[in-house]
Structure formats: structure tokens, C-alpha cells
DNA sequence: CTAGGGTTACCG
DNA sequence: CGGTAACCCTAG
């Protein structure tokens, strides 16, 4: 029975944002032990808590607490700390401090206290226990902020910067990566296994294919239906400052998506695989192959049911993208070092878009997707390997805003040469204005600059 | 990551 | 066909 409770709790936590359910309360009510299953459940709960606070638009010291708890849980699970985690912590800490920088003069408000509380005490504890959350960036923030106490100009600069946005970006990325790492919930795994078994039992003649599709369709429909319910539970228009975001909806299909990762195994994908085996010892090779197939079906069917998940921009490339129908294309950084999010934003309509697309209509039952509040980054196509590597990103002309932002960015350092001297990179310029450059890679910036100066 | 050469698409 | 803009590839 206990197991059953846990499964349901896990399922609920993974799939729903319900303001009436407080994940941590739910977890403590279950009185979990320390087994690896429970660990996963706890991690789910913390992730859900973080999601919730993001949705409320609350990025505060509670978020810091959560990130610290998450770190400890991951430590127990012997997982490595991800860059996004460190960055999220660092920028959240900065944001927490920034909110005490409202007076014009550093000494007027509670800035000093905040520094003491967050950077000396809280982060002091982290340092003491040798936490990996203490990253280079974090230390840099620490010195900068402490210096700002003396240096009014620096204080002004920090005071006016938009830290919140970066914090949200990293938190979102962290969530995405962690949910992906968790894989399917137990309940979903069981459902999948049943489905596979049923399908295996039905292996007769070629009707099998058809039948498999029908079953998968059922499955898919059920998922979509329950998503609609999820959505109904969500508070509307709560994103106070326009920053509230709920990208975590995305994990709905990821459950399946993660069970079967893309063909070629990148490092992360191997990790995911490994964890799943540990988690689902009974899922043997045969099941895995079957699951791979299942994902194919689901994606295909979902693509048919939900045209909005298709790429809007390039109808002619639709086939190539079928693999990526999963709402947030789960492409992660190849190296994992850059800490920069590579997502695909639902492309906003833009001036340069020529053709009129009649797509974008969804059938009534499909959950409407709100535009993602956080501008997302384009993902450069994966190098090599992938059969689709010769597919180009659609050409998108630079808007005057983008050009202006690029000029600003470069101006800061005089010229390209100084860029190098200052140890700044195109990437820094991009990160200096992530909203505007959301759809540009740092290489794009460089290329654009090249043809701007007529090189 | 960057610099710089290459490719693709479009235009007159 | 040459010029141009955006994008891709890859050595270092």
C-alpha cells in the first residue's frame, strides 16, 4: 500500500501544478525512508516546489533553500551537480540581494543586512561544507556585491541590472534538466510496460502495426485529457510581473520522451539510461527496445493530434522534425559546460516572415499553449551524427532592435579587438541581452557584426 | 569560443 | 552572374 501511495504521490507531483497541494507537506505526510525510490520522490517534490515558486513569480530566499535541499538530495543520489544548478543558485542569490538595493544609497536600506544574511552567513555555511554550489561566478558576485557597498557607481550598475531574468532562465533550465533526468514516473512506467506487453501479446500478422497505433492513440489521448485537467487547475494570469512562467508543463510528455532517448547516446543520455536501470531493474533490454518503438508511436500520434506541436515555420521540413515533437525539444548542451540554455521558442511572428501560414489551429481538445514568457534561445544544430545535420535553421533577418542591441554590446568594449582584450566574448554580449538575442547564437552575433562592419 | 572560409538563398 | 545576408563548419 505504501508503494502505491508513493506512486500516486509521485505521479501527482510530476504532472500537476496544483496550488492546493504543497509538495513538501505531501512528502512529509508520507514519511519516506531513504531508499532510492524515496529519494526520487523527494527530488520530484523539491522540483515541484521550485516550479511553483517560479509560477508565482517568487524568486526569494525560499528558492535558495530549495536549491540547497536539492543539492543535498542529489548528493545522496551521488549525482554530479549540474552547471545550471550552480548558475541558478548564484543568480537567485544575486536576485535576492538585489531586491534590497532599492534605495539610491547603499547604506540607506537593508542592503547591508542582506549581504550579511545571504552572502556571509548562508553562503558561508556552503563554503564550510565544501559545497559545489560555491562556483566561480558565485564568488565573483560575492566580491562585487561587497565592493558595491563602498563603490556607489558599482552599486548603481548592479542595482539597475536585470538579474531576475537570468535567474529565471537558469532555474527553468535546471528544472528541465532535472525532470529529464528523473525519467518516467513509476506509474507511467507501469502503464507503459503493460501497454508493451499487450502489444507484444498481439503480435500476429501485420495487423499488429495498426493495433499498436490504436493503443498508442488511446494512451496519447488519455495523456492529453489529463493535461487539460491539469491546466484547469492552474491559476490563470498569475504571473505577476510577466516573469512568472510555467515551462514545467513541459515534462508531461518528457516522461515518455526520456524513457527512450535519442538514438545516439550523449553523456547525459547515458546517465539517464543508467539511472533508469537502477530505478527500474525489471526493465530489461527487450522492454527498452519496445519502449523505443512506443515513443515513436506516441510522438507520431501526438503530432497528428496536436498540430501545434509541429514546427510552425517550415512546413516543408515537418518530416525531419518529427523526432522533436516532444514539446520542449530535449536538446541539451553537448558539453554541458556552457550553462546556457538552448531551447526552441515557439517562434514569435516577426516582420520578416513572408509566407502566411494557415497552421496553428488546434483541435478543441488539445491543451492550448500559452506563449512562453521567457524568451528562449535557439539551439544551434547538433554537429555531425544526426542525419538531419544538413538541415539549416530557417533564415531570419535581423531586426533593427537586434542590430541596435548588438551595436550597444560591442560599443561597450570599443571594437572587436578590445572585446578580446577585455576577456569578453560574443557570448557575453548575447547574455548581456538575452531577451533580444534569444533567437541568435553567439556565432550569429559574430557573423552579423562581420557584415555590419563590411569585413 | 572565435575567426574565417564555405554554403545557401535571394535579388537585380 | 555577382553581390549580399544569414547560416554552417571547423581548425586552433
Amino acid at each position: 500500500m505504501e508503494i502505491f501511495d508513493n506512486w500516486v504521490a509521485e505521479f501527482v507531483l510530476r504532472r500537476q501544478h496544483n496550488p492546493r497541494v504543497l509538495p513538501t507537506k505531501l512528502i512529509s505526510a508520507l514519511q519516506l525512508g531513504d531508499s532510492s525510490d524515496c529519494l526520487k520522490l523527494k527530488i520530484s517534490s523539491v522540483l515541484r516546489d521550485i516550479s511553483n515558486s517560479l509560477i508565482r513569480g517568487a524568486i526569494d530566499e525560499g528558492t535558495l533553500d530549495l536549491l540547497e535541499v536539492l543539492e543535498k538530495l542529489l548528493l545522496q543520489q551521488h549525482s554530479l551537480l549540474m552547471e545550471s544548478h550552480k548558475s541558478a543558485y548564484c543568480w537567485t542569490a544575486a536576485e535576492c540581494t538585489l531586491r534590497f538595493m532599492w534605495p539610491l544609497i547603499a547604506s540607506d536600506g537593508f542592503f547591508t543586512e542582506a549581504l550579511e544574511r545571504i552572502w556571509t552567513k548562508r553562503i558561508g555555511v556552503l563554503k564550510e561544507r565544501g559545497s559545489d554550489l560555491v562556483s566561480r561566478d558565485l564568488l565573483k558576485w560575492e566580491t562585487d556585491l561587497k565592493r558595491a557597498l563602498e563603490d556607489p557607481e558599482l552599486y548603481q550598475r548592479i542595482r539597475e541590472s536585470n538579474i531576475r531574468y537570468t535567474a529565471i532562465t537558469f532555474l527553468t533550465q535546471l528544472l528541465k534538466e532535472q525532470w529529464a533526468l528523473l525519467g518516467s514516473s513509476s506509474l507511467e512506467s507501469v502503464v507503459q510496460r503493460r501497454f508493451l506487453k499487450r502489444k507484444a501479446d498481439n503480435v500476429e500478422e501485420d495487423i499488429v502495426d495498426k493495433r499498436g497505433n490504436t493503443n498508442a492513440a488511446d494512451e496519447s489521448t488519455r495523456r492529453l485529457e489529463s493535461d487539460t485537467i491539469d491546466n484547469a487547475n492552474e491559476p490563470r494570469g498569475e504571473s505577476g510581473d510577466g516573469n512568472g512562467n510555467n515551462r514545467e508543463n513541459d515534462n508531461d510528455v518528457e516522461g515518455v520522451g526520456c524513457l527512450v532517448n535519442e538514438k545516439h547516446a550523449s553523456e547525459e543520455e547515458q546517465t539517464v539510461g543508467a539511472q533508469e536501470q537502477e530505478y527500474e531493474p525489471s526493465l530489461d533490454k527487450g522492454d527498452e527496445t519496445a519502449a523505443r518503438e512506443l515513443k515513436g508511436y506516441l510522438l507520431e500520434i501526438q503530432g497528428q493530434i496536436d498540430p501545434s506541436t509541429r514546427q510552425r515555420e517550415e512546413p516543408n521540413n515537418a518530416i525531419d522534425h518529427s523526432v522533436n515533437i516532444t514539446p520542449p525539444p530535449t536538446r541539451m548542451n553537448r558539453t554541458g559546460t556552457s550553462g546556457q540554455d538552448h531551447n526552441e521558442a515557439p517562434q514569435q511572428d516577426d516582420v520578416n516572415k513572408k509566407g502566411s501560414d494557415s497552421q496553428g489551429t488546434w483541435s478543441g481538445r488539445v491543451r492550448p499553449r500559452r506563449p512562453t514568457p521567457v524568451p528562449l534561445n535557439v539551439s544551434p544544430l547538433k554537429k555531425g551524427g544526426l542525419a538531419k545535420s544538413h538541415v539549416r535553421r530557417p533564415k531570419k533577418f535581423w531586426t533593427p532592435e537586434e542590430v541596435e542591441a548588438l551595436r550597444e554590446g560591442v560599443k561597450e568594449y570599443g571594437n572587436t579587438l578590445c572585446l578580446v582584450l577585455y576577456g569578453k566574448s560574443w557570448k557575453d554580449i548575447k547574455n548581456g541581452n538575452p531577451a533580444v538575442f534569444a533567437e541568435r547564437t553567439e556565432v550569429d552575433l559574430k557573423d552579423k557584426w562581420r557584415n555590419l562592419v563590411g569585413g
Side-chain angles (χ1 to χ4, degrees):
Chain A
M1 292 309 108
E2 244 173 62
I3 284 190
F4 194 65
D5 286 349
N6 291 0
W7 280 10
V8 173
E10 185 193 21
F11 186 76
V12 167
L13 284 175
R14 298 272 193 110
R15 313 236 9 222
Q16 288 185 340
H17 165 66
N18 186 337
R20 283 165 304 208
V21 175
L22 294 173
T24 14
K25 288 233 171 101
L26 182 59
I27 294 303
S28 60
L30 288 169
Q31 300 190 332
L32 296 173
D34 272 314
S35 74
S36 79
D37 278 15
C38 295
L39 212 52
K40 284 192 117 183
L41 189 44
K42 287 178 186 168
I43 291 176
S44 303
S45 127
V46 176
L47 293 182
R48 180 53 72 194
D49 269 338
I50 297 177
S51 290
N52 286 351
S53 63
L54 266 179
I55 290 170
R56 287 199 317 272
I59 297 186
D60 47 28
E61 286 165 57
T63 318
L64 286 179
D65 288 332
L66 289 170
L67 289 171
E68 286 170 28
V69 173
L70 181 61
E71 185 221 6
K72 287 183 187 157
L73 290 174
L74 291 172
L75 220 57
Q76 279 182 49
Q77 209 192 36
H78 308 296
S79 335
L80 280 176
L81 211 58
M82 293 200 277
E83 285 303 314
S84 58
H85 196 158
K86 296 182 200 171
S87 304
Y89 188 86
C90 163
W91 288 85
T92 305
E95 163 67 14
C96 289
T97 321
L98 192 76
R99 56 172 53 191
F100 293 101
M101 294 172 84
W102 42 267
L104 283 167
I105 314 291
S107 50
D108 274 356
F110 300 100
F111 180 50
T112 328
E113 286 90 312
L115 270 185
E116 172 70 20
R117 185 176 63 250
I118 299 172
W119 297 87
T120 308
K121 277 175 82 180
R122 180 188 280 270
I123 293 175
V125 174
L126 287 189
K127 284 179 184 164
E128 244 175 75
R129 70 159 208 263
S131 163
D132 278 336
L133 285 176
V134 183
S135 58
R136 223 181 51 214
D137 283 353
L138 192 76
L139 294 174
K140 185 164 182 313
W141 267 111
E142 185 186 8
T143 48
D144 279 359
L145 285 168
K146 288 191 171 164
R147 218 152 47 93
L149 208 50
E150 317 292 330
D151 180 351
E153 203 202 314
L154 182 61
Y155 179 81
Q156 277 317 313
R157 263 220 329 269
I158 298 181
R159 189 172 166 272
E160 281 159 20
S161 56
N162 187 358
I163 295 173
R164 187 186 177 82
Y165 173 81
T166 316
I168 290 178
T169 309
F170 283 124
L171 284 166
T172 310
Q173 188 187 350
L174 168 69
L175 285 176
K176 199 176 118 192
E177 291 175 1
Q178 289 294 345
W179 282 123
L181 227 53
L182 281 175
S184 311
S185 71
S186 312
L187 210 52
E188 282 171 310
S189 301
V190 169
V191 171
Q192 280 160 17
R193 269 212 303 279
R194 287 222 171 155
F195 164 65
L196 291 171
K197 187 157 180 301
R198 204 166 59 209
K199 194 179 138 227
D201 290 343
N202 282 344
V203 175
E204 305 159 60
E205 316 294 302
D206 24 338
I207 323 156
V208 180
D209 212 352
K210 268 266 185 275
R211 221 178 268 178
N213 270 311
T214 330
N215 288 342
D218 282 354
E219 194 56 42
S220 205
T221 314
R222 226 170 293 148
R223 298 178 73 88
L224 287 167
E225 271 168 6
S226 70
D227 278 351
T228 319
I229 294 165
D230 285 2
N231 216 31
N233 281 338
E234 272 180 30
R236 300 264 165 192
E238 259 207 67
S239 30
D241 47 11
N243 273 332
N245 74 60
N246 61 345
R247 305 239 12 255
E248 95 325 331
N249 282 337
D250 292 337
N251 63 38
D252 51 11
V253 195
E254 256 171 35
V256 182
C258 291
L259 184 69
V260 190
N261 271 298
E262 295 188 31
K263 306 127 214 215
H264 60 293
S266 77
E267 227 176 273
E268 288 123 306
E269 284 163 356
Q270 275 168 358
T271 327
V272 173
Q275 290 205 349
E276 248 155 36
Q277 280 184 359
E278 177 192 321
Y279 186 42
E280 292 282 345
S282 55
L283 200 70
D284 65 13
K285 274 274 173 280
D287 281 333
E288 261 179 57
T289 331
R292 217 168 283 261
E293 268 180 63
L294 169 64
K295 185 199 178 185
Y297 283 136
L298 283 178
L299 289 181
E300 203 179 306
I301 284 159
Q302 189 179 347
Q304 279 164 19
I305 297 176
D306 181 357
S308 67
T309 51
R310 282 181 186 277
Q311 289 261 324
R312 306 269 182 87
E313 292 259 338
E314 355 140 77
N316 42 343
N317 282 346
I319 318 120
D320 284 340
H321 286 273
S322 53
V323 196
N324 273 334
I325 277 169
T326 325
T330 349
R331 293 194 203 137
M332 304 213 173
N333 288 329
R334 266 193 310 271
T335 57
T337 49
S338 77
Q340 184 59 42
D341 200 359
H342 290 287
N343 290 319
E344 274 177 12
Q347 308 267 355
Q348 311 159 345
D349 284 353
D350 93 84
V351 210
N352 299 304
K353 203 160 102 188
K354 291 173 189 153
S356 63
D357 58 348
S358 51
Q359 296 191 359
T361 48
W362 36 47
S363 61
R365 65 180 323 147
V366 172
R367 156 166 48 137
R369 279 169 196 281
R370 267 172 275 175
T372 316
V374 179
L376 299 169
N377 294 334
V378 273
S379 96
L381 289 169
K382 266 191 185 170
K383 208 192 310 193
L386 222 52
K388 291 106 198 164
S389 62
H390 57 277
V391 177
R392 281 182 156 233
R393 256 186 308 156
K395 188 167 177 165
K396 194 172 167 292
F397 284 91
W398 280 64
T399 63
E401 291 75 31
E402 287 172 321
V403 174
E404 190 44 39
L406 178 59
R407 286 220 165 85
E408 283 301 310
V410 176
K411 197 167 73 185
E412 256 194 78
Y413 313 110
N415 58 40
T416 330
L417 183 65
C418 291
L419 209 85
V420 180
L421 293 178
Y422 279 89
K424 288 292 175 181
S425 62
W426 294 106
K427 192 166 184 110
D428 291 313
I429 295 185
K430 175 178 155 71
N431 289 341
N433 210 335
V436 178
F437 297 131
E439 297 178 18
R440 304 289 175 191
T441 69
E442 53 271 27
V443 176
D444 291 335
L445 303 199
K446 179 221 51 176
D447 283 337
K448 181 61 185 178
W449 186 250
R450 178 169 54 173
N451 69 37
L452 271 181
V453 297

